[in-house]
Amino acid sequence: MGEKLAERTFTTAVWLSVALVAAVFLWIVADVALRGFSTLSWSFLSQAPGDAGRTGGIAPILVSTLLILSIALAVAVPLGLAVAVWLSEFTRAGRGGDTMRLFLDVLAGVPSIVYGLFGNAFFSIYLGLGFSLLSGGLTLACMILPVFIRTCEAGLGAVGSEWRLGALAAGMTHGAAVRHILLPAAAPAVAAGLVLGIGRATAETAALIFTSGYVDRIPGSLLDSGRALAVHIYDLSMNVTGGDAAAYASALVLIALIALLNVLAQALTDNWLSRRITPL
Amino acid sequence: MQAKSRAGLAPTASPGLVQRFLKRDSDRRLGALLAGLAAACATLLLLVLAFLLVESLPVLAHWRAFFSSEGWYPLENRFDLMPMLWASLAAATGALLLAAPLGLASAIFVVFYAPAPLARFYRLVLNLLAGIPSVVFGLWGLTVLVPLIARWQPPGASLLAAVLILALMILPTVAVTAIAALRAVPRAVLSGAVALGIGARGRILGVALPAARGGITGGFLLAAARALGETMAVLMVAGNVVQNPSGLFEPVRVLTANIALEMAYATGTHRSGLFASGLVLTLLVLLLAWLGTRVMRGHRHG
């Protein structure tokens, strides 16, 4: 009898925990969706903010967000792919590769606010870029590089050796094999790394406050300060009384933007890399 | 060439295979280019640690002050980090205490209880929860959770609010690592328990969990590291008063929040103090993450 009761209690506890987690998740999603949609409109997306963000929209903030993200990806993706290919294809054990891996794993764990400190000290002050989109984008590039490299490298490493043997038998150069065989075969990992990077970079706040700054006008150049969407949400909810409605609408836009970019990244990687693997 | 002859002798896959490509000039150039880029990348990342050290150097000489009890008055060169360190540790520990059972139950549900479609759906929920930006957690905490707590025990912005929000944020980490660890338990071990007539509860608590304890503990440590490093969500709900955490309903300021709040106007040694607190935070987070991966590797099943 006691055994049966214990069994039933345990099962109930497991189901209740799961129900609790799911309920809280739904609570958050419902709050963000309901409050967000009630303020969201076309003019919210197309107008500049007024009255510290209480009225108007987020158009300049969207522009800054996308520019910062573009800078981060323009630096992190080619550099990351190059380092991943080097780690996986061009270096043997004990030749700096292991040190590099250890180093990347260490940096993957560094909190984002610390990247913010670094970005402020190095890009903004030491390199003299000031509070600018460039400082923010480069800081984010440093932040997403370690995880992006390790994900891509894992993908390349998982490509079976017979692919390399095949390329070798076909008389391909190593470079051609990487470009036409190995990277396309590792496309899912590259897409996963890209999605992780975009998610982290778009949602990042702490690393941007002291690098790209708070200015909520449309930036005139990459050396201007620009406010990212996540920073806007933070500012509205903490520093602007009566900014909650706009903050929720911005939160909804932020989540939608991340989802949209993820789909885009997935499609682009599939298209760009997978097409090469089909027979010529 | 030597590479050519060795390639002919290698019918089986081996890690050294990559070296057997015919090294043409174009490949040598590519290799050199990639090595150069890797070096540049390593330099860039080394700079992160270098700048952290250099900028905190003026204050590091007086590192004992971090652990004194003279309070955090950076303008008077009093850099006592302890209240904020305790607040960070209390928030992370509290979050883990909540997230660990819920995350573990989630994993047990997915691996042992849920029918396949429901398990897939619940994993999606966990992934979406992990994908919510921290600033959105902060916004929700500030506008929904804090007023709720305030109605019960003012002021609302408190250690408890931080603990609850952090628990939600790290729960997916706990659940996902525990799912992986439980899935890696050999089927034979579980079938053996079934053959012995042990019930589901006994199989899970007595066989599966102990067998997967390495991966699960590692997940806990990684989740705690994440909670310690989180800035925005905690900054928005914790109240940010510098004081030793004395109760769940007291406002506290964690290390990360302190950096975010004071960097805007900090100069001179104050600025160094903030970099130093960033350094302390980084070391703490890295220690946890290192322990986590070590525990995970140490207990991996063949």
Side-chain angles (χ1 to χ4, degrees), chain A residues 10 27 44 106 109 143 154 169 182 194 199 211 258 264 267 278:
Chain A
F10 183 72
W27 186 10
F44 185 74
V106 166
M143 192 181 87
L182 300 175
L194 206 52
T211 52
I258 294 175
L264 213 63
T278 51

Side-chain angles (χ1 to χ4, degrees), chain B residues 54-106:
Chain B
V54 168
E55 292 275 337
S56 48
L57 220 51
V59 170
L60 274 191
H62 317 284
W63 62 273
R64 276 195 195 85
F66 297 166
F67 309 103
S68 66
S69 49
E70 54 187 9
W72 173 260
Y73 300 101
L75 295 180
E76 296 160 32
N77 286 328
R78 284 150 73 183
F79 298 106
D80 173 20
L81 292 180
M82 287 317 278
M84 293 180 280
L85 197 54
W86 282 125
S88 282
L89 290 174
T93 313
L96 190 60
L97 284 178
L98 274 180
L102 286 176
L104 213 48
S106 299

